[in-house]
């Protein structure tokens, strides 16, 4: 389905991620394509419409979006919302429209079982429609800058792949076909499991090193030069004041919320259980993100705030300065 040949594209779910993603489509799609949008939060629909009044049409529900569009994207919080918007929400769902021959792309991070349930339902009711999972990574800033990575649940030989890549690249930098249905989600969940575990490990390693008298900037260099090198430590260091651009150095703001990490970590563990994969670190990792999500000192902050949750010293610079001053006295 070539972008230059369609006349309507739909977008359901204009939240922290969906709003800037839809904004990029409104700014970059060929002029012939009109965008039909819906969100239960009217304020975000109005905002997008105000930003692109010629391009955007506000719809009354998911069915109207699907009626008017040849390609429909969704960006919703959890599996239950995706099930509801596609098939379980009564008479106002995407599947209550005739979506034969249409392309449906779900960018939400949800459980693989819900995604496959939606895909199977669509395949049975509308055999000529195509549904893909396409979760994203890179956060709200990445969505605003169109630098997100997109993990596409699609086979490398799928006839729709070139068109999907062309469309998704309007919102992100890299589109990686992961091999087939629900595999984009499986890739995203295993990625977030790994990055969540690494953040806890970096926090613990830094804490034990600092308590042994090491400067965290020295530890940062040591890990970077040694076998422990990893992106979380390099660019998202959980210890404040080590890497200036890390969320920790800005009060753990502008990052990936700890509650979202808890959600993705839990989904990853469910997936692991379902496929029979053993995790010795899973339970401890989940308990850490669960505890941090409920801790008022950590809630709503970047997930690397686990360093704070685990009792790491954030005032190390001040303590070091005071120690130096007292030696000079
Ligand atoms: P959000 O809560 O900000 O946005 C979700 C939007 O969906 C909201 O505007 C909400 O009103 C809308 N919605 C919910 N139910 C609906 C319904 N029945 N019909 C229409 N609209 C409905 O969430 P977000 O941060 O944009 O995240 C969306 C997805 O992307 C999640 O699965 C999340 O895990 C994933 N994600 C988020 C980030 C991030 O940093 N925020 C990064 C990568 C992936």
């Amino acid at each position: 389905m070539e972008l230059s040949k369609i006349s309507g594209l739909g977008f359901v779910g204009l939240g922290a991620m969906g709003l800037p993603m839809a904004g990029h489509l409104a700014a970059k799609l060929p002029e012939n394509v009109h965008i039909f949008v819906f969100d239960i939060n009217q304020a975000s629909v109005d905002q997008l419409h105000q930003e692109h009044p010629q391009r955007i049409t506000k719809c009354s529900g998911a069915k109207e979006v699907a009626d008017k569009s040849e390609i429909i994207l969704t960006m919703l919080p959890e599996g239950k919302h995706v099930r509801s918007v596609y098939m379980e929400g009564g008479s106002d769902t995407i599947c209550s429209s005739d979506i034969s021959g249409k392309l449906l792309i779900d960018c939400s991070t949800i459980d693989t079982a819900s995604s496959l349930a939606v895909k199977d339902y669509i395949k049975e009711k509308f055999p000529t429609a195509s549904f893909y999972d396409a979760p994203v990574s890179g956060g709200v800033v990445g969505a605003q800058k169109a630098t997100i990575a997109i993990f596409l649940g699609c086979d490398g030989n799928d006839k729709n792949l070139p068109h999907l890549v062309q469309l998704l690249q309007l919102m992100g930098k890299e589109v990686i076909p992961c091999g087939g249905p629900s595999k984009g989600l499986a890739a995203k969940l295993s990625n977030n499991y790994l990055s969540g575990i690494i953040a806890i490990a970096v926090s613990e390693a830094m804490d034990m090193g600092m308590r042994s008298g090491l400067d965290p900037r020295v530890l940062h260099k040591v890990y970077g030069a040694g076998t422990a090198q990893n992106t979380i430590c390099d660019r998202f260091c959980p210890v404040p004041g080590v890497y200036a651009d890390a969320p920790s150095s800005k009060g753990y703001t502008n990052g990936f919320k700890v509650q979202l990490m808890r959600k993705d970590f839990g989904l990853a563990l469910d997936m692991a259980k379902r496929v029979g994969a053993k995790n010795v670190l899973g339970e401890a990792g989940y308990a850490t993100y669960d505890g941090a999500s409920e801790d008022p000192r950590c809630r709503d902050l970047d997930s690397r705030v686990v360093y704070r949750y685990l009792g790491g010293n954030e005032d190390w610079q001040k303590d070091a300065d005071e120690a130096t001053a007292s030696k000079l006295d």
Side-chain angles (χ1 to χ4, degrees):
M1 196 176 288
E2 279 177 47
L3 291 184
S4 56
K5 293 199 179 135
I6 68 165
S7 57
L9 178 136
F11 207 114
V12 180
L14 302 172
M17 296 294 287
L19 187 63
M21 287 166 68
H24 283 294
L25 295 178
K28 299 175 193 172
L29 275 168
E31 274 177 14
N32 53 298
V33 187
H34 202 79
I35 303 179
F36 299 91
V37 300
F38 174 67
D39 193 297
I40 48 173
N41 176 16
Q42 192 58 36
S44 53
V45 175
D46 292 342
Q47 186 183 332
L48 189 66
H49 182 257
Q50 266 165 24
E51 287 167 8
H52 306 274
Q54 311 297 334
R55 256 297 162 87
I56 300 288
T57 294
K58 306 186 217 177
C59 293
S60 60
K63 180 177 183 302
E64 190 188 347
V65 170
D67 282 342
K68 295 182 169 162
S69 314
E70 289 121 293
I71 300 178
I72 301 126
L73 288 118
T74 46
M75 189 48 156
L76 299 156
E78 294 173 35
K80 64 181 180 206
H81 305 102
V82 173
R83 284 171 180 266
S84 162
V85 164
Y86 277 90
M87 59 187 197
E88 289 174 357
S91 57
D92 188 10
T93 64
I94 289 173
C95 291
S96 47
S97 170
D98 180 2
I99 52 166
S100 300
K102 298 192 177 185
L103 212 56
L104 305 123
I105 306 163
D106 180 39
C107 295
S108 325
T109 303
I110 61 168
D111 55 298
T112 50
S114 288
S115 184
L116 286 169
V118 170
K119 186 186 167 59
D120 290 347
Y121 183 83
I122 289 173
K123 197 172 170 60
E124 197 190 320
K125 270 193 90 179
F126 307 100
T128 56
S130 306
F131 173 86
Y132 298 93
D133 54 299
V136 313
S137 181
V140 177
V141 174
Q144 287 163 347
K145 293 186 174 171
T147 55
I148 47 177
I150 303 172
F151 310 134
L152 183 58
C154 177
D155 189 274
N157 299 317
D158 191 302
K159 68 174 182 351
N160 289 320
L161 182 59
H163 308 310
L164 288 164
V165 171
Q166 188 194 9
L167 172 67
L168 295 171
Q169 275 180 340
L170 300 177
M171 300 179 290
K173 216 163 152 185
E174 196 167 359
V175 179
I176 304 177
C178 295
S182 86
K183 289 188 180 160
L185 278 168
K188 160 87 182 169
L189 297 179
S190 88
N191 177 78
N192 281 23
Y193 176 82
L194 180 57
S195 114
I197 289 286
I198 292 173
I200 294 172
V202 170
S203 299
E204 290 183 346
M206 281 272 183
D207 188 37
M208 70 174 78
M210 289 161 71
R211 285 175 193 266
S212 307
L214 279 149
D215 184 312
R217 290 165 298 190
V218 173
L219 287 168
H220 187 253
K221 269 194 202 155
V222 166
Y223 303 155
T227 51
Q229 188 276 326
N230 68 86
T231 299
I232 297 297
C233 187
D234 290 351
R235 296 194 291 119
F236 298 88
C237 187
V239 183
V242 173
Y243 185 74
D245 284 340
S248 63
S249 299
K250 298 169 182 164
Y252 295 100
T253 56
N254 259 349
F256 182 63
K257 274 190 192 167
V258 67
Q259 299 98 296
L260 283 178
M261 179 57 93
R262 170 176 63 180
K263 182 193 85 156
D264 291 0
F265 207 94
L267 291 176
L269 291 188
D270 289 347
M271 180 177 83
K273 207 179 282 170
R274 220 176 28 254
V275 297
K278 192 171 171 184
N279 314 113
V280 292
L281 302 174
E283 266 182 42
Y286 185 81
T288 307
Y289 285 112
D290 188 39
S293 296
E294 298 304 321
D295 185 332
R297 298 171 310 133
C298 304
R299 193 170 175 78
D300 289 331
L301 296 176
D302 176 69
S303 58
R304 274 59 64 145
V305 76
V306 283
Y307 175 75
R308 174 181 288 174
Y309 178 71
L310 293 169
N313 180 10
E314 295 170 58
D315 291 327
W316 59 271
Q317 182 82 64
K318 194 169 128 249
D319 294 350
D321 291 347
E322 281 171 8
T324 310
S326 73
K327 268 189 206 153
L328 295 174
D329 283 346

